[in-house]
Amino acid sequence: VLTTIEVVGSCNQLLIDDLYEADVGYRDDSLGLAILRPREALSPAAFAQFLPGPARLRSDIAVAGFPYGGARGTASLNYGILADLRGLNGEESLQRLALDITTTEAGGPVLDTTGAVLGMVLPEPAAGRTLPPGVSFALRGDQMQSVLTLAGLNPTTSSRSDALPQEALARLGATMTVLVSCWN
């Protein structure tokens, strides 16, 4: 399970979907990324398949996440636009998104219309400037793939080329996205 460092924080116990205990198996503090390993073998209904090339600027995107803190029991989609292929200060590891996110959506995948993962939502900075409404950031998918490889995992790329119907995209986002809970 990929998530952000902020999501795992300094937890005494990490749960996936409020059922399965997990440990931080790998982390990259410079990118703010953590890889969780469940303590028992799990077989997910779907898994992330990464965009094989660069993302297309101004393309439609969807973020799968838990805007209500898991109250719905399943991830839902939030739609927006890929506004820029870099951060506001030119950061090559980031993408700027034109959509509002909640803090509980941090760590969720950013999907293109084919369902390929092109990034992971990052939390709003805790200190410094506040972002204006409709501005959020994601870690780029190629950065995520590099970390997965360093952690000994084999990320897969998507072979889909046609846009999925909205219902199919929502179903895919819901089945590949899990709720990560931190308990102290």
Side-chain angles (χ1 to χ4, degrees):
V1 174
L2 289 169
T3 192
T4 66
I5 297 292
E6 290 83 359
V7 170
V8 298
S10 58
C11 305
N12 291 333
Q13 183 183 34
L14 287 166
L15 293 178
I16 298 171
D17 285 338
D18 290 328
L19 296 172
Y20 308 102
E21 288 189 78
D23 299 302
V24 176
Y26 190 89
R27 62 188 286 157
D28 185 316
D29 292 336
S30 65
L31 294 175
L33 179 71
I35 299 174
L36 306 182
R37 294 186 189 265
R39 290 186 181 169
E40 61 186 89
L42 301 177
S43 181
F47 59 91
Q49 294 185 356
F50 290 91
L51 188 66
R56 204 178 87 235
L57 185 63
R58 305 293 308 153
S59 59
D60 292 330
I61 59 164
V63 169
F66 294 89
Y68 307 105
R72 287 196 57 241
T74 187
S76 59
L77 292 188
N78 183 2
Y79 297 93
I81 302 287
L82 179 60
D84 201 338
L85 301 177
R86 289 180 282 219
L88 290 174
N89 295 313
E91 300 94 337
E92 296 286 333
S93 62
L94 301 179
Q95 301 170 56
R96 184 166 47 93
L97 312 177
L99 81 156
D100 288 317
I101 62 158
T102 64
T103 57
T104 57
E105 289 174 290
V110 180
L111 308 171
D112 72 0
T113 58
T114 71
V117 174
L118 56 99
M120 179 182 72
V121 175
L122 296 173
E124 189 168 323
R129 296 183 177 165
T130 303
L131 296 174
V135 175
S136 53
F137 292 96
L139 180 65
R140 280 190 358 212
D142 61 332
Q143 303 291 310
M144 297 165 61
Q145 291 178 72
S146 295
V147 171
L148 286 167
T149 301
L150 287 171
L153 301 169
N154 297 315
T156 59
T157 56
S158 176
S159 59
R160 284 188 224 109
S161 59
D162 295 332
L164 294 172
Q166 191 171 9
E167 302 81 28
L169 187 61
R171 192 171 33 259
L172 177 65
T175 56
M176 82 164 64
T177 308
V178 297
L179 180 66
V180 176
S181 304
C182 174
W183 297 93
N184 287 320

